[in-house]
Amino acid sequence: MTDSMSAQDRLDLIYENLHERLKEEIIEDVIFKQNRSLKIYWGTATTGRPHCGYFVPMVKLAHFLRAGCTIKILLADIHGFLDNLKAPIELIKYRAEYYRFVITSLLRSLNVPIDRLEVVLGSSYQLSAEYTMDLFRLSSVVSEHDAKKAGAEVVRQVANPTLSGLIYPLMQTLDEQYLDVDVQFGGVDQRKIFTLAAESLPKLNYKERAHLMNPMVPGLSGGKMSASDPDSKIDLLDPPDIVEKKLKKAHCAPREVEGNGIIGFVEYVLLSVDSLKNGGKGKFVVERRKPEEGEPLVYEDIATLKADYEADKLTPQLLKPAITKALINLLKPVQGEYQASTEWQEIAIKAYPPEETKKKEKKVKDRGTKFPGSKGGVAAKPDGHVEGEAKDQVNLGTGAEEAMDKLGIQQKTHS
């Protein structure tokens, strides 16, 4: 496909559906003047289980590959550990492997060529002496304020942050140089790190890179869809009943298009994926609830869908079942590969070990010293005797006569 595309067609495909572009002249110099393959890297910290939001960057990676770009995917295992221990150090190896399975499966499901794609593990080069020295050099030209600001939307924010959160954006900056790329691609939440990289690399006498950003699909409950927040996402391996349940509960206010994650998913995933698979315009079909209500609603562009939603012609009650059906079908190839791969399943258990359910311990009821008949500081023992400071006050003796005498009971005499 690339051979039949003009340089302008390749550039248009690279820019399609992006939220923002920085330093376009770097990209255009490679495409038009150097006439070579554009080298792009996309990185992901290997933390929680990847979710359906990952289809957004995967679709763009598919566009890049079809435009003849060379892609490096960075599995940022050390970044996952640095981000407030989102990935415990003993699990990062397995989580990186899990991400490798997921990402390659996602790309295969989109029917895109992956011969120009390379998957790189962060720790394979980030622990070298040269990289470490450059990290020290970079830390001497970046202020604490700028490093903290750069990671504000990416690194988990806590009341008492650790220094690792400041190292995170510095390493992401250096990765552009060590992966030898022209462009770094990521979500719009990465913008501040991209700006830091553009400003800082030239201070180490390294060249500045271009940056491409895709929009972020809002989570199910609003806000960002996050791998480390199970309530905001649909897992790629969630079974159909769970997908349906989560989408039923998802935030989808009538007539509201802005910040609507359900509509965002149609725009940036379902229409784009259908376009990739069919080699033409994407199509999204919404079935009517009853046949007598008319023909299904068919959308080939997001503008028409948004207009119908704002006019209440397309309602949440119609939209959610349509997305549920489309998403379940989209997940089938990935879930099929998972079910067929014993290795992937074993890695999944090691990467995300099931939480142990703690058995509740039975508490011994302590009646204290206030229950009727209690005397402070005494305790009854299994054999019936009592111990404690006040044992003399409650001890009834060793025989019946002594006990009756203490209780003030008069013995009856029988004639």
Side-chain angles (χ1 to χ4, degrees):
M1 181 178 177
T2 308
D3 295 337
S4 62
M5 295 176 71
S6 68
Q8 187 60 54
D9 288 340
R10 289 165 56 203
L11 188 67
D12 290 344
L13 187 55
I14 288 167
Y15 287 167
E16 186 177 312
N17 273 352
L18 287 173
H19 184 274
E20 191 174 357
R21 313 189 290 259
L22 301 177
K23 287 289 179 180
E24 298 171 37
E25 59 269 26
I26 294 174
I27 297 170
E28 291 163 14
D29 180 72
V30 171
I31 299 292
F32 292 113
K33 294 181 180 179
Q34 299 182 43
N35 194 27
R36 63 170 173 83
S37 176
L38 186 71
K39 295 183 288 184
I40 303 175
Y41 112 74
W42 173 77
T44 180
T46 52
T47 54
R49 289 176 182 268
H51 49 75
C52 290
Y54 273 65
F55 273 108
V56 177
M58 292 303 108
V59 166
K60 272 317 302 175
L61 291 180
H63 287 165
F64 296 153
L65 288 165
R66 289 195 171 188
C69 302
T70 301
I71 306 296
K72 288 185 179 180
I73 292 178
L74 174 65
L75 299 178
D77 50 346
I78 293 180
H79 282 82
F81 169 69
L82 290 175
D83 190 0
N84 202 39
L85 296 178
K86 279 185 183 175
I89 197 163
E90 65 273 12
L91 298 181
I92 56 175
K93 172 186 174 184
Y94 302 118
R95 291 194 176 179
E97 277 301 305
Y98 183 84
Y99 269 64
R100 187 190 300 270
F101 275 112
V102 167
I103 289 166
T104 53
S105 180
L106 281 172
L107 289 170
R108 276 194 295 266
S109 75
L110 297 176
N111 299 329
V112 294
I114 56 175
D115 54 308
R116 289 186 308 280
L117 183 144
E118 180 185 355
V119 180
V120 181
L121 190 64
S123 57
S124 67
Y125 66 89
Q126 290 166 345
L127 300 176
S128 69
E130 184 182 5
Y131 187 95
T132 303
M133 194 62 227
D134 269 347
L135 187 59
F136 291 154
R137 290 173 62 209
L138 190 59
S139 67
S140 71
V141 296
V142 176
S143 69
E144 180 267 345
H145 172 270
D146 288 349
K148 187 176 180 180
K149 180 183 175 183
E153 291 188 46
V154 178
V155 179
R156 180 184 286 170
Q157 301 301 300
V158 293
N160 188 26
T162 58
L163 286 175
S164 61
L166 302 179
I167 300 171
Y168 187 112
L170 301 187
M171 289 180 64
Q172 189 169 334
T173 294
L174 279 180
D175 290 337
E176 295 183 353
Q177 173 66 24
Y178 279 79
L179 290 171
D180 186 27
V181 294
D182 307 303
V183 180
Q184 183 178 176
F185 164 62
V188 70
D189 60 334
Q190 307 276 334
R191 193 185 195 285
K192 291 176 182 176
I193 293 181
F194 291 170
T195 303
L196 179 74
E199 294 173 351
S200 303
L201 280 182
K203 294 177 182 177
L204 301 186
N205 295 321
Y206 293 140
K207 68 179 182 180
E208 182 182 351
R209 270 70 178 187
H211 296 95
L212 300 174
M213 286 162 270
N214 63 257
M216 305 298 294
V217 175
L220 299 178
S221 53
K224 176 181 169 183
M225 191 177 286
S226 170
S228 54
D229 179 5
D231 294 330
S232 74
K233 64 172 185 169
I234 293 175
D235 194 295
L236 292 165
L237 298 179
D238 276 344
D241 59 322
I242 298 298
V243 172
E244 184 177 6
K245 184 179 178 182
K246 286 184 176 181
L247 283 172
K248 275 184 179 178
K249 293 168 61 179
H251 177 73
C252 188
R255 298 176 180 265
E256 286 186 19
V257 170
E258 194 68 32
N260 190 321
I262 301 294
I263 291 177
F265 197 78
V266 176
E267 181 175 6
Y268 296 110
V269 177
L270 297 180
L271 283 173
S272 297
V273 168
D274 197 62
S275 173
L276 276 170
K277 287 185 173 182
N278 299 319
K281 244 187 173 182
K283 188 164 63 175
F284 177 64
V285 179
V286 179
E287 299 286 348
R288 303 281 191 175
R289 286 184 290 179
K290 296 176 183 177
E292 57 267 26
E293 292 178 354
E295 294 292 319
L297 299 169
V298 180
Y299 296 101
E300 293 186 347
D301 63 86
I302 197 64
T304 306
L305 185 146
K306 287 180 177 180
D308 279 0
Y309 195 80
E310 287 177 328
D312 211 30
K313 180 181 177 181
L314 176 62
T315 63
Q317 291 76 18
L318 289 174
L319 182 59
K320 284 187 175 184
I323 287 190
T324 300
K325 181 180 178 181
L327 181 54
I328 289 171
N329 287 332
L330 191 60
L331 293 175
K332 275 182 182 177
V334 177
Q335 295 181 356
E337 284 196 22
Y338 174 77
Q339 295 298 335
S341 173
T342 306
E343 186 183 359
W344 187 355
Q345 293 171 35
E346 289 173 353
I347 286 293
I349 293 171
K350 291 177 180 177
Y352 304 98
E355 292 183 9
E356 294 182 8
T357 52
K358 293 182 180 180
K359 291 183 178 180
K360 288 185 177 180
E361 295 181 6
K362 287 186 177 181
K363 292 184 178 180
V364 179
K365 191 172 182 181
D366 182 7
R367 295 188 295 175
T369 60
K370 301 297 183 184
F371 68 92
S374 169
K375 300 288 184 181
V378 296
K381 298 300 176 183
D383 62 359
H385 81 283
V386 293
E387 292 183 0
E389 294 178 5
K391 67 178 182 179
D392 292 336
Q393 298 177 39
V394 297
N395 198 338
L396 298 181
T398 56
E401 290 185 5
E402 188 178 352
M404 291 176 69
D405 184 55
K406 284 199 171 189
L407 291 171
I409 300 173
Q410 293 183 353
Q411 295 185 56
K412 290 184 180 180
T413 55
H414 299 277
S415 54

